[in-house]
Amino acid sequence: MEEVAHAISRYKEELETYHARLIAISKTKPNEMILKGYESGHRDFGENKVQELVTKHESLPKDIQWHMVGHLQRNKVKYIAPFVHLIHSVDSTRLLKEINKQAQKFDRVINVLLQVHIAKEETKFGFDEKEIRELFEGEVLAEFNNVKVIGLMGMATFTDNVKTVESEFAFLKELFEKLKTYELPNVEMKELSMGMTNDYRIALKNGSTMIRIGTAIFGERNYG
Ligand SMILES: *Cc1c(COP(=O)(O)O)cnc(C)c1O
């Protein structure tokens, strides 16, 4: 378990030159492992399931910054709205609307990233470029005063083909830069969440500001 702290510090060292941040993805892993990272000074952890995120939030130190990175159903937003630090996986305007509604109830502004569908796989969630432009050029976004869109998130195709992954991340970076030119009240494009254990180096070369690492920190997941 000491490995957790070591792995985190290795990543942080590597990230310094990129001015990028590490989100340690602790899904399926026990609190004791998360605490090893916490005790070494790390505060940003991420989960992909609402129930697990809530349970861990309740039982771990309250200054942990919790990131929601998995697909989020609208009817579950209320459970994480009081405390979530950043939602990476906003994949529809309807979800954004619900996050705004719940954030309002708790009198807070929730930071979010829009997930963009960049992979070839059908199964990955997310907006496409056209849908994001519609959102940015439409009227509704300005009404969502309790959310702030601070960037984009993307997951590349799961493949060994570096060129494919590279072109998907480059596409997302380009879209990110284009979206920076919109001047909108609830938008400040500054974070680009891309890169996981197997592709984070390619992501960093393409402008990632947040990498989401699970396996390389906590070990393989056992879904038994
Ligand atoms: C699980 C997960 C990660 C971490 O993946 P690893 O390959 O274990 O580093 C990153 N992002 C999302 C959205 C995930 O669900």
Side-chain angles (χ1 to χ4, degrees), residues 32-185:
E32 299 78 68
M33 282 185 115
I34 298 170
L35 279 170
K36 290 291 176 195
Y38 179 85
E39 283 156 13
S40 78
H42 194 67
R43 291 295 178 270
D44 288 283
F45 293 88
E47 292 286 334
N48 72 335
K49 292 206 161 69
V50 166
Q51 183 56 56
E52 194 172 350
L53 183 54
V54 169
T55 308
K56 284 176 173 171
H57 163 72
E58 281 167 359
S59 54
L60 284 161
K62 293 297 170 287
D63 59 338
I64 288 181
Q65 300 188 330
W66 286 108
H67 297 248
M68 175 61 186
V69 302
H71 181 61
L72 178 58
Q73 288 170 297
R74 277 177 294 142
N75 60 356
K76 292 190 177 166
V77 173
K78 56 179 177 286
Y79 303 116
I80 62 169
F83 68 89
V84 70
H85 178 69
L86 177 63
I87 301 174
H88 293 230
S89 44
V90 174
D91 57 6
S92 72
T93 302
R94 289 164 80 201
L95 176 59
L96 197 59
K97 184 179 179 178
E98 178 64 18
I99 294 168
N100 182 66
K101 182 178 150 191
Q102 296 300 331
Q104 202 167 12
K105 277 192 194 159
F106 294 99
D107 195 24
R108 61 185 299 237
V109 173
I110 297 181
N111 287 335
V112 304
L113 306 179
L114 302 180
Q115 182 171 354
V116 182
H117 185 277
I118 56 172
K120 295 198 166 47
E121 286 117 47
E122 290 285 320
T123 52
K124 302 230 163 112
F125 295 99
F127 287 94
D128 61 27
E129 175 167 359
K130 181 167 161 279
E131 290 166 334
I132 293 192
R133 286 190 181 276
E134 277 165 12
L135 178 65
F136 275 37
E137 286 162 15
E139 315 266 272
V140 289
L141 190 55
E143 294 166 17
F144 298 160
N145 289 316
N146 291 75
V147 292
K148 186 160 188 198
V149 177
I150 63 166
L152 302 179
M153 185 273 250
M155 290 169 86
T157 304
F158 188 73
T159 172
D160 290 334
N161 188 327
V162 174
K163 285 232 163 65
T164 300
V165 174
E166 181 117 54
S167 76
E168 290 169 358
F169 284 153
F171 167 81
L172 191 59
K173 166 71 171 171
E174 205 183 303
L175 177 59
F176 177 66
E177 293 301 327
K178 284 190 268 188
L179 293 173
K180 278 184 180 172
T181 61
Y182 287 80
E183 282 185 34
L184 296 167

Side-chain angles (χ1 to χ4, degrees), residues 11 23 25 27 47-48 68-71 88-89 115 153 155 158 193 195-199 211-217 219 221 223:
Y11 274 103
I23 316 303
I25 307 299
K27 62 192 188 200
E47 292 286 334
N48 72 335
M68 175 61 186
V69 302
H71 181 61
H88 293 230
S89 44
Q115 182 171 354
M153 185 273 250
M155 290 169 86
F158 188 73
S193 169
M196 306 172 26
T197 293
N198 288 321
D199 58 17
I211 59 169
R212 309 179 310 271
I213 306 291
T215 308
I217 292 173
R221 287 177 292 273
Y223 286 103

